Amino acid sequence: MRIARPRLLPAALAAGTAIALAGCGRSHQLSGPSARIAPVAPQGAVAVTTRNTSRLGGADAVADAAAVARTVYPGLTQATSPAAVVVVDRANWSGALAASELAGAPLAAPLLYAEGGKLGALSAQTLAAMHPRGAGALAGAQVIRVATSAPVPGGLQTRTLAAGEPAVQAAAIEAILQRAQGGRAPRAVIVLAANAARSLQMPAAGLAAESGAPILFVNFQRVPVATASVLTTLHRPSIYVIGAAAIGARTLRTLRRFGAVTRITTGAASAEGAVSDAIAVARFTDGVFGWGVREPGHGLVFENAARALDAPAAALLSATGDYGPVLLQARPAPVSSVLASYLANIQPAYTAAPQFRPVRGVYNHGWLIGDERAISALTQAEVDALLEISPRRASSEEPSLSPPE
């Protein structure tokens, strides 16, 4: 698959600058003011591009969600307006994470953050600018509010899901997803421990958006009634567990009564462990389920493991454009060694021969979420170099590209 390099839309560029970071190989550490390429604008959003990366967002998850939403949905035509927009209270992590599944087909809903019972100026402006059309399968709802009663602009038609325990909220969101799908029940679900470290849960946002599999929550000692009810109605779905170490053996045994259980990650309780787990999720595949990103030609979404709310904010990038799995950085800089190794393994390459040119190759593209306090300029430059298509010397073991005589 050949990945075209996306163009940032003018709406996403309004508060930022676009530059190119040239050069391959080892990056040089910059110092002083020149090291900053993405100062936060008064509006709170920035957009910086290099050859192979695009930075979206700003100082916090509110700005990040707004930038992602406007990049995917500028609202200039009916085709570039969403059917519905999800608005979630930023204080409700489990609700935001479970709502990531609504970014997938068929709803493809962007997510914006409210702050308690108030929709901030940036989220309100973004919502109004996208001109949501209304989801026919949801009785024309233009806004789906999760755990918030924040008023929305322009008299948009809303549907509200009340705050509650993680398992209860996730079950309610799964019901919305199933209704949006015309009553078609999903054949796979993603299960997380409600009390697991948020950094270990972040990759589930992109996987749910890409696969259409709902996110359900369990506790260490038991499967909550709400989760058990969903699993029962789905009639033995495939159950994929992320962060299995936070789920007790008894709970895993109970889950097996509802369907086949597959552990994608165990879950190491550290920032570097979260980086490794995100790569494991990106590499995992089981038939038609999972990313299976083990070769070049993909989109990739880079987030800081300490900014968990960026994962639901950017879930839409996993279900549109170049469809990218979530990859994590433990800190703003430098690129984690395990992440650099993974990117080197999937770096595009071409054989320097007349019969094969880079224009015939495949490309990777990276979305970086947040400002330089989330992912530094140095890291962006290093990632850009690791994503660039590069020449490869043909070995004697490779098949010849010459036409037969």
Side-chain angles (χ1 to χ4, degrees):
M1 170 177 66
R2 179 176 174 179
I3 298 294
R5 304 179 192 274
R7 296 179 179 178
L8 290 179
L9 298 164
L13 292 170
T17 57
I19 67 167
L21 295 179
C24 297
R26 186 174 182 84
S27 299
H28 297 284
Q29 176 73 52
L30 302 178
S31 61
S34 62
R36 291 189 56 77
I37 61 172
V40 180
Q43 297 91 335
V46 295
V48 177
T49 61
T50 67
R51 300 167 301 177
N52 305 294
T53 69
S54 305
R55 182 190 292 267
L56 294 176
D60 59 21
V62 174
D64 297 344
V68 170
R70 288 301 304 277
T71 297
V72 177
Y73 290 115
L76 302 176
T77 65
Q78 185 175 18
T80 58
S81 292
V85 178
V86 176
V87 175
V88 188
D89 182 359
R90 65 179 298 177
N92 193 304
W93 161 249
S94 57
L97 183 61
S100 300
E101 65 205 48
L102 301 179
L107 205 55
L111 183 146
L112 298 174
Y113 285 115
E115 301 178 60
K118 180 181 178 182
L119 192 63
L122 182 57
S123 293
Q125 292 165 8
T126 302
L127 176 57
M130 288 189 289
H131 305 294
R133 308 185 311 271
L138 302 179
Q142 295 164 288
V143 178
I144 302 169
R145 297 185 298 192
V146 178
T148 180
S149 57
V152 298
L156 297 175
Q157 186 169 343
T158 63
R159 183 176 188 135
T160 302
L161 302 180
E165 293 295 320
V168 174
Q169 285 190 132
I173 293 169
E174 189 278 332
I176 291 285
L177 176 65
Q178 195 168 149
R179 183 167 180 178
Q181 294 174 334
R184 179 174 57 85
R187 296 306 308 147
V189 299
I190 301 166
V191 169
L192 308 171
N195 63 335
R198 292 183 180 184
S199 60
L200 299 177
Q201 297 177 336
M202 289 172 70
L207 182 59
E210 184 276 334
S211 66
I215 293 173
L216 301 176
F217 292 104
V218 297
N219 301 321
F220 183 82
Q221 292 290 354
R222 65 185 181 88
V223 176
V225 172
T227 298
S229 178
V230 173
L231 292 173
T232 298
T233 60
L234 295 183
H235 305 295
R236 299 197 63 77
S238 298
I239 300 170
Y240 296 95
V241 176
I242 292 178
I247 299 175
R250 177 181 176 182
T251 299
L252 287 171
R253 287 195 300 270
T254 303
L255 283 173
R256 293 188 182 99
R257 300 175 188 172
F258 298 102
V261 175
T262 302
R263 304 185 195 189
I264 298 180
T265 65
T266 298
S270 68
E272 289 295 339
V275 174
S276 298
D277 275 16
I279 293 171
V281 173
R283 291 176 57 86
F284 178 82
T285 185
D286 181 19
V288 297
F289 181 87
W291 289 105
V293 176
R294 304 182 182 188
E295 70 292 307
H298 298 279
L300 304 164
V301 182
F302 296 87
E303 301 166 4
N304 187 313
R307 289 176 51 158
L309 287 172
D310 283 353
L316 194 60
L317 299 175
S318 296
T320 190
D322 47 20
Y323 287 75
V326 171
L327 296 175
L328 298 178
Q329 268 284 106
R331 55 192 62 85
V335 176
S336 168
S337 59
V338 65
L339 179 58
S341 177
Y342 173 65
L343 295 179
N345 286 339
I346 63 170
Q347 184 172 17
Y350 65 94
T351 302
Q355 297 89 345
F356 190 86
R357 297 177 297 152
V359 71
R360 303 293 181 189
V362 296
Y363 312 116
N364 289 341
H365 174 261
W367 295 101
L368 279 65
I369 307 302
D371 63 13
E372 291 178 37
R373 285 167 287 191
I375 300 177
S376 74
L378 172 64
T379 296
Q380 183 168 9
E382 291 176 337
V383 168
D384 178 85
L386 287 166
L387 300 183
E388 173 68 8
I389 188 168
S390 304
R392 175 181 58 195
R393 180 177 299 176
S395 69
S396 58
E397 298 178 355
E398 291 179 342
S400 173
L401 295 176
S402 302
E405 297 181 357

